[in-house]
Amino acid sequence: MKTLAIHAAEDLRWEDAPEVEPGPDQVRLRIKYVGICGSDLHYYYQGANGAFVITEPLTPGHELSAVVDLDPSGEYAPGTPVTVHPARYGTSAPGIEDRPHLWPGGDYLGSASVTPHRQGAAAEHLVIDRANLRRLPESLPLKRGALAEPLAVSLHAVTIAGDVTGKKALVLGSGPIGLLAVAALLHRGAASVDATDVRPEPLERARALGADRTILVGEETPEHSAYDVVLECSGAPISLSSAVQAVRPAGIIVQVAILPNQDIPVNLAALVAKEVQLRGTQRFDTEIDEAIELLAEDARFDAVVTQSIPAAEAESAFATARDASLSAKVLLEL
């Protein structure tokens, strides 16, 4: 079979690999689409994602849709459309018993956080534990189905924010996760959602997902102390300072995007004066099931997928995914 492998920074190869066979309680998938995530871009362009450094060839990809190729048990017929919950949980720890996605010792598809690395989905075939498999409705196109994982990330961020029913929300950064955060907030009952970005093209996509108002950074700023909930989805330190200014007294900020792993200048003075809560969010737990239901119901999510590029042309796909003026979510087609 063919697989995509990152050998080092900017060393990406579409190469032959041994065929994979399912073991007990496993299923072999024929991969159809794999989304390129920010972490995949870091692995390709820097050879590392934060502290996780590539030390052996890594197949990226944790956002996927596929069909069943072989299920030895016969539970899933060949051709059954599916996606995958990409996490294998670790060992429960005191205080986080109800948050298995935070348990130490787990891993994630397409990640160099463990050695040997957990190989990802950007390959013709993938063997996955049966417990991680999620059946897709027949009515859900496979391209849209590849958004289940990133939509689950955005839904979990809203879970962390708490009950947003009837609240005024702001999303800072309208990349793929920010776009899906707009939809997630509205799905969970937010009264209105505004969105920002430094480019006009992402703001057009945010409007397609239901944003009430879009704000082009550099020309406008969000109203001060006006928002009940702010989701920071850009990863720019200055954006977190903007979140503190935009949130109302006693409001909530959720840091969704991964910030640089270094000391960064952020103005938090108003956080204290306004008794604002700043909360972090990490991946998701069960929200992927809600994401699948939501994707099946709403064709507007098709606006998030801007390109589908063959995996054999992965270098072009990664370059496109890196350019926010050209793309939102780029899918590798296998």
Side-chain angles (χ1 to χ4, degrees):
M1 70 171 188
K2 288 286 190 179
T3 188
L4 195 64
I6 302 172
H7 287 252
E10 299 194 51
D11 183 358
L12 182 64
R13 307 177 196 176
W14 180 239
E15 60 189 20
D16 292 320
E19 187 56 270
V20 290
E21 298 295 336
D25 295 322
Q26 290 185 321
V27 177
R28 186 171 69 199
L29 307 181
R30 177 65 177 91
I31 304 299
K32 295 297 185 179
Y33 296 101
V34 174
I36 297 176
C37 175
S39 61
D40 302 321
L41 292 173
H42 286 299
Y43 280 130
Y44 173 51
Y45 285 106
Q46 283 88 45
N49 180 34
F52 306 139
V53 180
I54 292 177
T55 58
E56 62 188 25
L58 173 69
T59 295
H62 52 263
E63 309 171 3
L64 70 132
S65 60
V67 295
V68 170
D69 184 65
L70 175 62
D71 179 5
S73 77
E75 178 184 353
Y76 292 95
T80 301
V82 294
T83 188
V84 167
H85 192 311
R88 291 190 300 204
Y89 295 143
T91 303
S92 181
I96 54 172
E97 293 90 348
D98 61 342
R99 299 190 184 193
H101 59 293
L102 299 181
W103 292 351
D107 62 21
Y108 215 71
L109 277 180
S111 173
S113 63
V114 292
T115 302
H117 298 336
R118 177 89 187 277
Q119 301 300 327
E124 289 181 323
H125 288 141
L126 175 71
V127 166
I128 198 73
D129 293 344
R130 187 180 306 276
N132 292 79
L133 212 55
R134 298 292 188 275
R135 190 187 300 265
L136 295 178
E138 294 287 348
S139 61
L140 178 55
L142 286 174
K143 276 188 179 181
R144 198 190 311 158
L147 297 174
E149 193 275 351
L151 179 55
V153 169
S154 293
L155 286 166
H156 184 68
V158 180
T159 299
I160 294 296
D163 185 4
V164 297
T165 304
K167 293 184 177 180
K168 184 176 181 179
L170 174 67
V171 174
L172 297 172
S174 296
I177 291 296
L179 293 175
L180 295 170
V182 169
L185 284 159
L186 293 170
H187 172 67
R188 292 280 185 86
S192 66
V193 181
D194 296 348
T196 76
D197 204 88
V198 296
R199 295 179 179 271
E201 298 90 352
L203 295 179
E204 293 176 12
R205 300 173 195 129
R207 287 191 290 272
L209 270 292
D212 293 86
R213 179 187 171 212
T214 55
I215 300 166
L216 184 62
V217 176
E219 294 186 2
E220 299 180 82
T221 57
E223 185 181 352
H224 279 204
S225 299
Y227 297 92
D228 303 297
V229 175
V230 179
L231 270 56
E232 201 297 296
C233 298
S234 75
I238 194 171
S239 185
L240 181 53
S241 298
S242 298
V244 174
Q245 294 297 320
V247 72
R248 66 162 172 81
I252 294 169
I253 300 169
V254 181
Q255 182 61 44
V256 185
I258 297 174
L259 292 166
N261 185 25
Q262 61 192 49
D263 294 336
I264 55 176
V266 178
N267 187 345
L268 298 179
L271 184 104
V272 176
K274 294 195 288 188
E275 290 192 358
V276 169
Q277 295 185 45
L278 175 58
R279 302 176 180 178
T281 180
Q282 170 72 352
R283 294 175 179 162
F284 58 93
D285 182 14
T286 61
E287 287 88 353
I288 194 166
D289 301 307
E290 182 183 0
I292 291 169
E293 293 178 5
L294 183 53
L295 289 168
E297 295 169 358
D298 196 341
R300 289 184 303 169
F301 285 101
D302 290 338
V304 178
V305 178
T306 50
Q307 285 90 8
S308 176
I309 299 174
E313 302 171 19
E315 289 184 1
S316 173
F318 274 70
T320 302
R322 196 184 196 185
D323 188 341
S325 67
L326 295 176
S327 68
K329 178 58 66 178
V330 176
L331 301 182
L332 294 169
E333 186 172 353
L334 291 104

